[in-house]
Amino acid sequence: MSDVSSPGEDQAGSADLDHWPDLDHWYAAREALGRLYGKTSGHNFPVLMAEIARRIADASVARRAELRARDARRRDDPLWFKRPGRPAYSAYADRFGGTLKGCLDRIPHLQALNVGVFHPLPLLKARDGDSDGGFAVADFAEVDPKLGTFDDLKTLAGALRRADISLVLDVVCNHTAREHAWAQAWLAGDPDYADFYIAIRDEAELAAWSAHLVDAFPTTAPGSFTWCEDIQGWVWTTFNDFQWDLNYANPRVFLAMLDVFLDLANAGVDGFRLDSVAHLWKTKGTNCRNLPQAHDIIGALRHLIALVAPGTFLLAEASEAARDVVPFFGSEAAPQCHLAYNNTAMTALWAALAEGDGAIFDAALKATAQKPAHGHWLNYARGHGDIVWNALDPMADKPRQKRWTRFYAGGESFADGLSFQANAGEAASICGMASSLCGVADDAFGLDRLKLVYSIVYALDGVPMIYMGDEIALPNDRAFTGTDADVRWLHRPAMDWDAAGIATIDTTPQGEMYAYLRMLSEILMAMPGMAEAGPALPLAGRDGPVLAFARTLAKGRFLCVANLSDDNQMVRLRRPSTDLFDGLRLAGATSIPPWQVLWLHEI
Ligand code: GLC
């Protein structure tokens, strides 16, 4: 196996951003907001900035001493959310702990996995009935009564903090439920809420907008607009008909959302998952995704939040190709998000498994390495959403993507997944728990495959994420079939605490997976220089079913080499290396058994 060029990125750059003087944050926010709401926009910009200043001052005064002390510590430790071997953990609060109080009892489970960041999926008060898994928020100031109270949330934040785990919450900033008070006030004609949402009353205009838009849910919620009797027009609904897009062209919407962020930050939340960030701004004649104004909104939020709660992070959720996700990090001079979901690596990993070839993953690594040093990837195998192949459009055509869909949902491979939906001509997205997609239940190599998937996720540059249940190889949940729930509920099972209990003491598949994740994390924690390791870059000599990448360390390199096939694969090590799983020294030609992985320290 031949050498790779050394990575040119330096992770240390982030420190400066955290030491920006407050005035600079203010000016930077003002600049971004000026482009959105300044002179030519017809808004009263000085009044807007005065309103913002008042909110920043109030929220700063309200910030508790304990949180301020934590902010101060984090200023000196800018990568506090990216600690080697400390994964994030994402779970529906009800499925994980029943209630927020119930989640408290599960903190030891998180600690056993060395979790550093806990992400309970949307837990603010959602609309009754279908709420898209909580992504249709009816009240940002209240916790969903089924889960508990706002005080329970503060208690959970505090308990996690004491367990050295950060809490990240979703801020569904693109839309609200139609039941939200803002939407109701807008419908009622309350002048304070005028233009909070987007109404179109003319069919020709509707057609003009629609011509450029791509459906988010083409089967379950086709189109981007919903007819509304009350206004005798269509409301903009990118997602479901009950999720009404906010109109950020109105600065009052920005102000209202700023309040949401500042209140949550002061409740002790450490990070914000910005849902559907790509959609925040609409401009006629465009596909209304990733527009420069969406970036200005995020940039302004970053700086304003930094004035009150500098020890918090922003995580971008944008299901786009890497070239469109990377801009959500912003630049060092104009930063936006600290973290972003690495959906390019995620989708490429599943594609590579389907093809039994590491080539597509090479392309994904090259694409995702093109990011500024201050932005970091949240790496994952599965989440609560579907696997949408579009992220790989720049590297794979549609027929190839359709083959992946058939592989995971066609019933003829090791995978037991289901397809969700697709726009015309596109490949349908895939649902299923990682365990089922890897064939753990009935393929001899299933568990090895699941371990391999996670060993790659953990080895990449950034923060690895465990999706609840994967640590015990939890399979699909077929309970959704026959209900109104969409196919994504296939991979949203309740945690099996009996199985998790066994996992800690047994040599069952659950136990093997659980022990494996703990081992991966412990290796990374013990590995000198891992915090500063460079980005993952493909190894040039890689071939066929071998997936391989390297990260440069101060001393030597960290290599991850995986075999995506049912046969042994020979690899040639350029230098003698230590096998990090068993401590043995390897050199020269080395055989990797089917679906096994090597983590090597090459000195
Ligand atoms: C994000 C969420 C997804 C939700 C959508 C609309 O993509 O991950 O679950 O349906 O936003 O809020």
Side-chain angles (χ1 to χ4, degrees):
M1 190 166 297
S2 47
D3 198 1
V4 281
S5 54
S6 67
E9 291 197 62
D10 174 13
Q11 303 296 319
S14 331
D16 295 334
L17 293 183
D18 290 85
H19 287 99
W20 275 35
D22 282 358
L23 256 186
D24 287 353
H25 279 304
W26 177 252
Y27 289 139
R30 196 177 67 176
E31 199 179 311
L33 291 169
R35 284 192 289 271
L36 298 171
Y37 310 122
K39 271 196 190 120
T40 54
S41 71
H43 299 294
N44 191 332
F45 191 60
V47 169
L48 171 69
M49 292 312 291
E51 274 293 323
I52 291 176
R54 189 175 58 75
R55 282 162 159 86
I56 297 295
D58 289 351
S60 302
V61 170
R63 192 152 177 84
R64 296 197 309 275
E66 185 195 4
L67 297 179
R68 285 166 187 275
R70 190 187 64 185
D71 291 336
R73 283 196 302 278
R74 288 178 176 173
R75 265 181 204 265
D76 297 326
D77 178 19
L79 292 183
W80 57 271
F81 52 83
K82 179 182 178 266
R83 296 177 287 176
R86 301 292 306 272
Y89 188 98
S90 176
Y92 279 101
D94 60 339
R95 308 208 141 221
F96 179 67
T99 60
L100 294 190
K101 281 201 176 111
C103 289
L104 287 175
D105 300 335
R106 301 304 181 187
I107 291 177
H109 180 76
L110 302 177
Q111 285 176 300
L113 292 162
N114 297 314
V115 166
V117 177
F118 178 50
H119 169 219
L121 282 143
L123 49 70
L124 299 179
K125 188 173 178 208
R127 73 190 290 269
D128 290 336
D130 186 1
S131 66
D132 189 20
F135 285 97
V137 177
D139 190 345
F140 290 104
E142 260 191 64
V143 163
D144 202 299
K146 291 188 283 300
L147 296 172
T149 62
F150 209 79
D151 278 340
D152 293 342
L153 178 62
K154 288 187 188 163
T155 306
L156 178 63
L160 288 167
R161 195 156 53 244
R162 287 187 290 282
D164 192 22
I165 299 172
S166 314
L167 174 65
V168 57
L169 286 196
D170 289 272
V171 177
V172 187
C173 48
N174 177 67
H175 44 266
T176 71
R178 67 170 168 228
E179 289 76 10
H180 193 287
W182 302 340
Q184 293 306 306
W186 177 69
L187 284 177
D190 182 335
D192 285 346
Y193 293 89
D195 293 330
F196 250 61
Y197 299 86
I198 304 161
I200 296 177
R201 294 191 172 78
D202 177 287
E203 253 179 89
E205 208 193 335
L206 188 78
W209 280 104
S210 299
H212 300 275
L213 302 177
V214 178
D215 290 0
F217 293 149
T219 312
T220 50
S224 302
F225 302 93
T226 299
W227 175 257
C228 175
E229 279 298 325
D230 295 340
I231 58 157
Q232 286 297 300
W234 291 266
V235 179
W236 198 303
T237 54
T238 298
F239 297 93
N240 290 294
D241 57 10
F242 50 80
Q243 289 165 300
W244 288 13
D245 286 47
L246 287 160
N247 178 21
Y248 279 89
N250 175 358
R252 282 173 192 262
V253 168
F254 180 86
L255 276 178
M257 204 40 83
L258 178 63
D259 284 341
V260 172
F261 281 98
L262 298 181
D263 289 348
L264 289 173
N266 278 352
V269 172
D270 301 86
F272 303 101
R273 175 188 178 279
L274 308 180
D275 188 61
S276 309
V277 272
H279 300 272
L280 294 184
W281 195 272
K282 282 71 169 157
T283 298
K284 241 185 215 162
T286 74
N287 66 0
C288 299
R289 289 163 96 129
N290 309 305
L291 296 179
Q293 293 90 339
H295 290 281
D296 277 332
I297 293 167
I298 304 302
L301 280 172
R302 159 100 182 226
H303 288 292
L304 296 176
I305 295 170
L307 286 170
V308 175
T312 53
F313 66 75
L314 300 184
L315 160 65
E317 186 270 325
S319 297
E320 309 284 322
R323 60 172 177 227
D324 291 321
V325 179
V326 166
F328 282 103
F329 291 128
S331 63
E332 202 151 335
Q336 295 174 32
C337 292
H338 304 74
L339 283 160
Y341 281 91
N342 194 349
N343 61 320
T344 290
M346 183 275 286
T347 42
L349 180 52
W350 291 110
L353 250 65
E355 295 184 336
D357 192 306
I360 188 104
F361 201 72
D362 285 356
L365 290 179
K366 284 183 197 146
T368 54
Q370 306 298 317
K371 63 163 187 63
H374 70 271
H376 304 281
W377 292 116
L378 184 74
N379 298 305
Y380 63 117
R382 291 297 292 116
H384 72 285
D386 42 335
I387 301 172
V388 185
W389 303 120
N390 293 5
L392 301 182
D393 281 353
M395 43 195 104
D397 60 17
K398 293 297 167 190
R400 190 170 170 197
Q401 295 183 20
K402 286 179 182 168
R403 286 200 289 277
W404 304 333
T405 296
R406 278 198 297 279
F407 186 90
Y408 285 106
E412 280 167 19
S413 71
F414 54 73
D416 177 23
L418 288 177
S419 60
F420 183 29
Q421 49 191 349
N423 277 288
E426 307 257 316
S429 61
I430 290 296
C431 294
M433 289 294 284
S435 168
S436 300
L437 297 180
C438 288
V440 172
D442 42 33
D443 185 273
F445 293 120
L447 185 61
D448 290 325
R449 231 173 255 125
L450 181 62
K451 289 183 186 170
L452 173 145
V453 160
Y454 264 90
S455 70
I456 291 168
V457 166
Y458 271 57
L460 290 171
D461 175 27
V463 180
M465 185 184 97
I466 303 171
Y467 180 58
M468 187 205 81
D470 287 351
E471 72 274 32
I472 54 162
L474 202 62
N476 288 341
D477 178 8
R478 294 272 171 180
F480 86 95
T481 41
T483 70
D484 289 344
D486 72 49
V487 186
R488 291 176 297 169
W489 289 90
L490 180 68
H491 53 249
R492 297 170 180 175
M495 185 60 172
D496 183 342
W497 288 110
D498 291 338
I502 292 168
T504 56
I505 48 169
D506 212 341
T507 47
T508 55
Q510 292 93 327
E512 266 194 56
M513 190 60 200
Y514 183 78
Y516 189 74
L517 288 188
R518 283 162 52 107
M519 178 190 75
L520 294 183
S521 124
E522 272 147 31
I523 291 172
L524 292 172
M525 288 199 289
M527 180 97 178
M530 210 57 209
E532 293 79 32
L537 289 171
L539 278 167
R542 184 213 65 76
D543 205 15
V546 175
L547 181 157
F549 57 87
R551 296 178 58 193
T552 302
L553 300 165
K555 272 202 190 138
R557 298 192 300 173
F558 168 71
L559 309 185
C560 176
V561 187
N563 176 357
L564 308 183
S565 78
D566 292 354
D567 305 308
N568 286 339
Q569 296 294 329
M570 289 301 288
V571 293
R572 177 163 299 282
L573 302 181
R574 192 171 56 93
R575 289 166 191 257
S577 303
T578 305
D579 182 331
L580 292 167
F581 293 158
D582 60 16
L584 296 177
R585 294 284 284 171
L586 298 176
T590 303
S591 170
I592 313 183
W595 297 101
Q596 298 299 307
V597 184
L598 294 175
W599 270 16
L600 301 172
H601 185 193
E602 177 198 79
I603 302 177

